[in-house]
Amino acid sequence: MSTQTVIVGGGVSSLRLAERLRRAGDEDPITIVSAEQAIAYDRPPLSKSVLLDESAPRPDLTSTEELEALGVRIVAGRRARRLDRPGRSIELETGEVVPYDDLVIATGSTPRRLPALDAVDPHYLRTWDDALALREAVHRCARVGVIGGGVLGLEIAATAQALSREVLVIDAAPHALARLGSHDLGRAVTDLHRGHGVHFRFDVTTESAVKHADGTITLNLSDGTEEIVDVLVVAIGAVPVTDWLDGSGLEGGDGVDTDASCRTIDERIHAIGDVARIEYVPGGHRRLEHWTNAGDTAAVAARGILARRRGETRPELTELPYVWSDQYDVKLQILGHIDAGSSLLSAVEDPETGRWLRLATRGHEVTGVVGWNMPAAVNRCRAALMAGISVDELLRSTPWERKARR
Ligand SMILES: Cc1cc2nc3c(=O)[nH]c(=O)nc-3n(C[C@H](O)[C@H](O)[C@H](O)COP(=O)(O)OP(=O)(O)OC[C@H]3O[C@@H](n4cnc5c(N)ncnc54)[C@H](O)[C@@H]3O)c2cc1C
């Protein structure tokens, strides 16, 4: 008897899961239910090359032909609105009921809104349609205001700056990238942007905004000052999409909780990608909004689904968290864990090229690495980090010399 896998969400994690199941020899029916019409296009270029180049096409990760060859049934442009766990089915907004044997929640995340600014209808960036609207606006204005100095806000700022727009970034924190917790990194990135002419307003929030007849927007800041921009983008983080799970027992909290196998409290339901809050270590759940995490979690969930059916032991996620960000000519990479409790120890500083590599440490343990235009070195640290190598061992095992921080 065949078993039906239903994947809710049509992003990169969903596509990777279907591919992984097929690659592992699963010939049973797979259905992808997607709120968007387009299945699995790439989001990272939306704040970079797509925003920069008015002729850049949608960065599709697959095609109708490839999905057909994969033998996946696509239900596009329809949102799942309810999960019925006892009945093992989901209900779509059209009323259609789709039964499942295994369900994968891959509904991603959506931009956090700033209701105080609804009156001026600011831009948010998540989808292809969002990107088209923002691109159109940025290419036809002089001044861009970005609320939020996180990774996404800074990428938008860098692209707008590359288009010679006047750019202002506003953030409630004292420096950029505050959510990552590292002051050193935040300052380095802030300096990079200032060097390119981006203006910052830190330690202030935007209380309200007014749109004028000529389209310009006045922002009223918490310190009583005003700023005027032509285009306003809000990039203050994202929230997991779990509204359709209300009443299922899987809702609540920041995403869908899973164990290290991406399995929820229901053995027939996995959660992957941005929406999943995964137990990396016992008792330590974490939700990652990273492209690589989408693929890693999809791979583990696919193997877990097949393991359940075959009565085998389920695999666990062993991959390290990894995120990259391209801003100007800098590739910033963060591998492993870095948070407010981490100290950053300099492993490489190259004053000529400006490249550097820093180790995030807790006591004698290396928990992560941060690279600034050092992709090969970051990659070389991967195995060492996974092996739980100590700071001294890692520094000894590389050709890099420990240098005094400046
Ligand atoms: C502009 C931008 C730039 C980025 N740049 C980087 C980067 O440089 N580096 C990096 O590591 N990461 C980056 N990311 C993050 C990365 O793209 C995400 O981590 C990744 O897309 C997550 O994939 P996902 O499949 O979990 O979710 P998503 O890609 O969000 O896909 C989820 C899909 O589910 C659909 N959906 C939601 N609810 C329902 C429902 N009820 N029924 C049916 N379908 C539903 C959504 O419409 C969406 O199509 C970027 C993200 C954005 C938006």
Side-chain angles (χ1 to χ4, degrees):
M1 208 179 75
S2 72
T3 46
Q4 167 85 245
T5 301
V6 174
I7 310 169
V8 182
V12 57
S13 65
S14 167
L15 174 67
R16 295 294 179 246
L17 187 110
E19 290 171 343
R20 288 286 181 161
L21 284 176
R22 289 292 182 244
R23 214 182 296 163
D26 179 29
E27 293 178 353
D28 286 342
I30 301 174
T31 299
I32 292 179
V33 176
S34 168
E36 287 185 79
Q37 277 295 346
I39 299 294
Y41 57 86
D42 218 7
R43 296 188 200 277
L46 301 186
S47 50
K48 309 169 186 87
S49 53
V50 165
L51 193 54
L52 188 67
D53 176 2
E54 281 199 282
S55 63
R58 193 176 64 206
D60 288 343
L61 291 167
T62 187
S63 63
T64 314
E65 295 72 36
E66 282 170 3
L67 286 168
E68 262 170 29
L70 214 53
V72 175
R73 176 181 169 236
I74 303 292
V75 180
R78 268 172 279 174
R79 184 172 285 275
R81 74 171 171 207
R82 202 173 74 86
L83 165 61
D84 173 7
R85 274 175 61 206
R88 274 203 217 133
S89 65
I90 59 163
E91 184 185 292
L92 309 189
E93 58 190 353
T94 51
E96 187 185 340
V97 172
V98 183
Y100 66 81
D101 294 292
D102 285 285
L103 177 72
V104 181
I105 300 170
T107 42
S109 54
T110 189
R112 188 185 298 282
R113 303 267 148 181
L114 207 46
L117 303 187
D118 279 354
V120 298
D121 197 16
H123 289 266
Y124 292 88
L125 180 56
R126 182 77 198 175
T127 65
W128 172 244
D129 288 344
D130 295 340
L132 288 185
L134 181 61
R135 179 164 81 180
E136 167 81 15
V138 168
H139 280 255
R140 276 152 199 78
C141 79
R143 292 162 300 185
V144 178
V146 181
I147 298 184
V151 173
L152 181 59
L154 293 179
E155 287 185 352
I156 294 168
T159 307
Q161 191 66 34
L163 289 165
S164 304
R165 303 297 176 260
E166 198 180 305
V167 184
L168 170 68
V169 176
I170 299 171
D171 199 298
H175 57 74
L177 292 188
R179 255 179 70 200
L180 289 181
S182 164
H183 300 300
D184 284 357
L185 184 55
R187 273 194 294 270
V189 172
T190 304
D191 289 348
L192 170 74
H193 281 265
R194 283 200 169 119
H196 281 84
V198 170
H199 302 285
F200 285 96
R201 293 291 312 272
F202 289 124
D203 292 313
V204 284
T205 54
T206 309
E207 304 290 291
S208 62
V210 180
K211 197 171 207 163
H212 304 286
D214 64 356
T216 57
I217 297 170
T218 299
L219 303 171
N220 301 307
L221 306 186
S222 53
D223 62 355
T225 60
E226 288 182 353
E227 294 287 351
I228 297 177
V229 299
D230 301 317
V231 170
L232 181 63
V233 194
V234 176
I236 54 169
V239 289
V241 180
T242 56
D243 53 341
W244 64 286
L245 298 171
D246 282 354
S248 71
L250 300 182
E251 74 281 20
D254 178 39
V256 178
D257 280 4
T258 77
D259 61 15
S261 301
C262 296
R263 196 189 65 166
T264 66
I265 49 167
D266 184 326
E267 67 158 1
R268 286 174 182 264
I269 305 181
H270 288 75
I272 59 174
D274 280 18
V275 76
R277 193 169 161 270
I278 296 161
E279 189 170 29
Y280 274 92
V281 286
H285 283 83
R286 227 179 133 189
R287 198 172 66 76
L288 298 175
E289 294 165 11
H290 304 163
W291 191 90
T292 311
N293 175 64
D296 293 343
T297 52
V300 166
R303 286 166 56 212
I305 288 168
L306 297 178
R308 183 191 65 76
R309 290 179 194 164
R310 295 167 184 165
E312 296 167 359
T313 310
R314 287 174 302 117
E316 296 198 339
L317 197 64
T318 52
E319 300 298 331
L320 291 166
Y322 169 73
V323 62
W324 83 93
S325 175
D326 297 320
Q327 298 172 30
Y328 310 104
D329 54 353
V330 171
K331 181 172 282 297
L332 177 67
Q333 294 170 291
I334 302 175
L335 177 68
H337 299 275
I338 154 171
D339 55 35
S342 314
S343 310
L344 283 189
L345 178 74
S346 179
V348 180
E349 299 276 347
D350 184 345
E352 262 178 44
T353 60
R355 301 182 323 148
W356 52 254
L357 185 82
R358 292 178 191 160
L359 310 180
T361 62
R362 261 179 191 271
H364 293 294
E365 192 196 352
V366 186
T367 59
V369 296
V370 185
W372 188 276
N373 277 340
M374 299 212 65
V378 169
N379 208 25
R380 287 183 55 198
C381 291
R382 191 178 293 271
L385 274 173
M386 289 181 78
I389 199 167
S390 74
V391 175
D392 287 339
E393 262 181 291
L394 180 59
L395 289 171
R396 268 202 308 274
S397 68
T398 69
W400 315 312
E401 302 221 332
R402 192 191 311 212
K403 290 184 181 164
R405 294 284 317 281
R406 285 171 306 185

